[in-house]
Amino acid sequence: MKITGQVKLVNSNIYRKLKLLAYATCIGMFIVVLNGALVTKTGSGQGCGTDWPLCNGKFVPAYTIESMIEYSHRIVTGIVGILVLASFIFVFRLARDKRDAVMYALLTLIFTVIQAIMGALAVVFTQSPPVMALHFGISLLAFASSFLLCLALRRYERGIVQHAGRISDTFRYAVWFTWLYTYIVIYVGAFVRHTESSGGCLGWPLCNGEWIPDMTGGTAIAFMHRVAAALLLIVVAVMAHFAYHHHKDNREIQLCGIWSIALCAGQIVSGALVVFAITDENLYLFAGMLHAVLICGLFSVLCHMSIRVWQLRERT
């Protein structure tokens, strides 16, 4: 019997419906992350005062830009929360034997609940920048989990089981390190935003016209983020090189490497654009949102890659 690497699944119609629900959930989570970034970039976090779930004591708030941005973020989060819960329930009931899909659905639900609670607490009680930066990190984990759920259900719907070359322990650890370091850099970037340190380093690639600026206040925070981002580019480039040139029998790993370096480079370029656009409110907002989009893409690809190198690890 010829081994084709593809296995037909009897319940493809069920997986197709679950996949569509997962797609809707993932798109919703993506909008939630972008809305959260918009709230931060426009300083709309207190647009509804300290009331939650009401907005300034009303179901329909007074029309101000800040209140509408904040309140729309809450509404979208609530709707997406329903989709997340529905995804978990249906995946658990209809695809319980697919442990990875169930786990992704559960993680999406857990991280969504955590980020919603943190968001509510941020409104009612003033939170420190480190906590607010973590809020963005949790939202990113929720989106990445929903992204992984989409990919898993897509594979099951198509009945594809890939039998590719195995992954060495060294490369697997390298991918995991890249994933973890990326998350740290993203956290530092969120910390820059929540401490309003974006203007600490004017100009790019120099910081205030210097290679090593005065390391105080917002300048130190912004400069550390730049250094961390530069190191990230090197780390991702090395990992992508080995992914592409040492795994020619695994197109999936090669593509992950290509996407990783492309998104990382785009993230750095968009970060530079944020610096150059700091005096133009509209361009600054666009650059910030683009930066958030690329962050979502990079982190999700690395999450997928981290899972796949574990699934394809060498077994003795």
Side-chain angles (χ1 to χ4, degrees):
M1 180 179 179
K2 184 179 180 180
I3 298 176
T4 62
Q6 295 186 349
V7 179
K8 291 292 184 180
L9 301 178
V10 177
N11 297 322
S12 60
N13 288 334
I14 293 177
Y15 292 131
R16 184 177 299 111
K17 293 176 182 178
L18 290 176
K19 182 192 70 173
L20 293 176
L21 178 59
Y23 279 8
T25 302
C26 185
I27 293 172
M29 286 305 309
F30 181 70
I31 295 173
V32 168
V33 174
L34 290 187
N35 266 356
L38 181 63
V39 168
T40 301
K41 285 292 183 181
T42 57
S44 302
Q46 292 299 314
C48 287
T50 57
D51 292 335
W52 193 93
L54 301 180
C55 183
N56 293 320
K58 301 178 181 179
F59 278 107
V60 180
Y63 181 77
T64 65
I65 296 298
E66 291 79 8
S67 63
M68 295 307 295
I69 291 176
E70 169 63 17
Y71 201 54
S72 65
H73 178 48
R74 296 185 188 182
I75 293 174
V76 170
T77 301
I79 295 173
V80 174
I82 296 174
L83 287 174
V84 170
L85 180 60
S87 292
F88 171 72
I89 292 174
F90 283 108
V91 169
F92 184 76
R93 291 187 60 185
L94 302 177
R96 189 178 305 182
D97 58 324
K98 305 303 179 184
R99 295 183 179 180
D100 56 343
V102 173
M103 180 58 65
Y104 299 147
L106 177 60
L107 288 175
T108 304
L109 178 61
I110 291 174
F111 288 131
T112 299
V113 171
I114 293 175
Q115 67 93 13
I117 293 174
M118 292 183 69
L121 292 176
V123 172
V124 179
F125 306 101
T126 302
Q127 301 294 322
S128 63
V131 175
M132 294 305 300
L134 182 61
H135 181 209
F136 178 76
I138 297 297
S139 299
L140 196 59
L141 287 170
F143 168 74
S145 298
S146 68
F147 177 77
L148 293 174
L149 177 61
C150 290
L151 294 182
L153 291 174
R154 179 174 175 269
R155 287 197 303 271
Y156 292 134
E157 185 244 333
R158 294 187 175 187
I160 298 175
V161 178
Q162 183 173 348
H163 300 283
R166 297 301 178 184
I167 303 298
S168 67
D169 288 343
T170 301
F171 182 71
R172 176 160 49 96
Y173 293 142
V175 171
W176 289 353
F177 172 80
T178 304
W179 171 84
L180 179 60
Y181 183 64
T182 299
Y183 191 76
I184 293 173
V185 174
I186 291 172
Y187 176 84
V188 175
F191 186 74
V192 169
R193 291 195 300 274
H194 287 288
T195 55
E196 299 181 351
S197 301
S198 299
C201 272
L202 298 178
W204 192 91
L206 299 182
C207 177
N208 300 327
E210 300 176 303
W211 285 108
I212 302 178
D214 182 25
M215 300 296 287
T216 58
T219 299
I221 296 173
F223 183 71
M224 285 190 295
H225 178 54
R226 288 194 184 187
V227 173
L231 292 176
L232 176 63
L233 180 62
I234 296 173
V235 170
V236 172
V238 172
M239 184 275 295
H241 169 80
F242 283 97
Y244 187 83
H245 291 286
H246 292 257
H247 297 86
K248 296 185 182 298
D249 58 344
N250 193 323
R251 186 59 177 167
E252 182 181 16
I253 296 299
Q254 285 187 316
L255 287 175
C256 284
I258 293 172
W259 275 108
S260 295
I261 187 60
L263 289 167
C264 186
Q267 183 182 355
I268 290 179
V269 172
S270 65
L273 182 59
V274 169
V275 175
F276 290 130
I278 200 166
T279 57
D280 186 325
E281 183 177 350
N282 293 328
L283 183 58
Y284 178 72
L285 182 59
F286 168 78
M289 299 303 290
L290 176 62
H291 197 55
V293 169
L294 294 173
I295 286 171
C296 287
L298 174 61
F299 187 72
S300 297
V301 169
L302 289 175
C303 283
H304 173 64
M305 197 173 186
S306 296
I307 295 294
R308 293 301 285 155
V309 296
W310 177 76
Q311 292 173 335
L312 298 173
R313 66 193 183 280
E314 290 180 342
R315 293 180 174 87
T316 57

